[in-house]
Amino acid sequence: MSSESIVQDPLGRSALIDLEERGILSRAEARSVLARRERFEVELGGSKPTRASFLRYVVYELKLDRIRASRTRRLAGGKRGPGDFFGVRHVYALYERALARFPEDLDLWLEYVAYAKRNKAPKMVGRLLARALQRHGTRPELWVHAARWEFVDQGNARGARRMLQRGLRLHATCVELWASYFSFEVNQRRWACGSVAALTARAFGRCHDEREFRRAAASARVRRRARREARVSADAPGPSRRL
């Protein structure tokens, strides 16, 4: 179910029909869900919807989606249909509407990011963090959050370092950012040393004993030295010829 279908069918009537036909929801349950969504939409359609109104709607949809997922596994053997995809996209749409109303609410941005993480949507997480930084670039903790996601969740040390450095250019006196940058560099160095140790252990494991391992290591050093000498001799100017 695409974002266009969310706009055309914001209450998810077609999704409820699919769930009802597959026995995931009863007719009474589908009608109850539709009635609850209509009440939520009336509340959000008022002149001044509150942040709490949006979050109540989100919490209801999350609870409904957990029930749907559990019944799909039990009754449909895990086989999914069109109705199974509406809930996640609907929650995304609710967060977008909430942020359009409360763009200065950093906690709301971070809740949206956390939901996208739980749904294993790294591209969306990256886009959300970029949008949040455009809006809240003056908040050092957001730069730390974005760097942590790059390093811990994505394994992208270069991206994490770039994120922290960009934050420090804006907040050169922020103790939290400097502490995070120092911690990142220390952990990155430990990780690199651990990787070298792991590779050494793997190479040692391929040898039958320590003597064989030392011979292999010495042979590798000789080959590297020979390559360096060959490059130096190739770059050196040769004797000039007399005509």
Side-chain angles (χ1 to χ4, degrees), residues 180-202:
S180 297
Y181 190 29
F182 177 77
S183 176
F184 162 76
E185 291 295 350
V186 169
N187 289 327
Q188 171 66 5
R189 182 62 59 86
R190 286 176 178 171
W191 179 87
C193 293
S195 298
V196 172
L199 291 173
T200 303
R202 182 182 299 178

Side-chain angles (χ1 to χ4, degrees), residues 66-233:
R66 284 195 296 269
I67 294 173
R68 190 253 343 135
S70 176
R71 292 185 182 180
T72 298
R73 288 192 298 269
R74 189 176 73 251
L75 301 176
K79 186 177 181 181
R80 305 177 75 182
D84 294 294
F85 301 96
F86 177 82
V88 172
R89 292 188 172 91
H90 192 202
V91 173
Y92 285 156
L94 288 173
Y95 273 119
E96 289 291 343
R97 291 167 65 185
L99 286 174
R101 183 77 182 182
F102 306 102
E104 302 304 322
D105 191 331
L106 180 58
D107 290 336
L108 195 58
W109 282 98
L110 294 179
E111 287 179 25
Y112 192 4
V113 167
Y115 181 68
K117 284 184 181 180
R118 291 199 299 272
N119 282 283
K120 297 179 174 58
K123 291 183 179 179
M124 173 170 280
V125 172
R127 289 195 296 268
L128 285 173
L129 286 173
R131 288 169 55 194
L133 286 169
Q134 288 179 347
R135 173 71 66 170
H136 297 283
T138 57
R139 303 286 294 273
E141 64 270 27
L142 186 56
W143 291 100
V144 174
H145 188 97
R148 185 180 298 117
W149 177 77
E150 288 284 356
F151 186 50
V152 177
D153 295 297
Q154 296 297 100
N156 183 4
R158 183 177 298 177
R161 181 179 289 108
R162 184 168 58 246
M163 198 68 67
L164 289 169
Q165 289 172 348
R166 287 176 58 192
L168 285 169
R169 281 196 291 270
L170 294 173
H171 310 282
T173 60
C174 179
V175 175
E176 181 186 4
L177 263 176
W178 279 110
S180 297
Y181 190 29
F182 177 77
S183 176
F184 162 76
E185 291 295 350
V186 169
N187 289 327
Q188 171 66 5
R189 182 62 59 86
R190 286 176 178 171
W191 179 87
C193 293
S195 298
V196 172
L199 291 173
T200 303
R202 182 182 299 178
F204 184 80
R206 290 176 181 174
C207 300
H208 296 292
D209 55 21
E210 186 176 355
R211 183 179 301 175
E212 185 177 351
F213 174 73
R214 288 179 177 177
R215 283 200 302 269
S219 177
R221 286 196 296 271
V222 170
R223 287 196 298 270
R224 286 197 297 271
R225 189 181 303 116
R227 284 197 294 269
R228 285 198 298 269
E229 292 175 354
R231 284 197 295 269
V232 170
S233 62

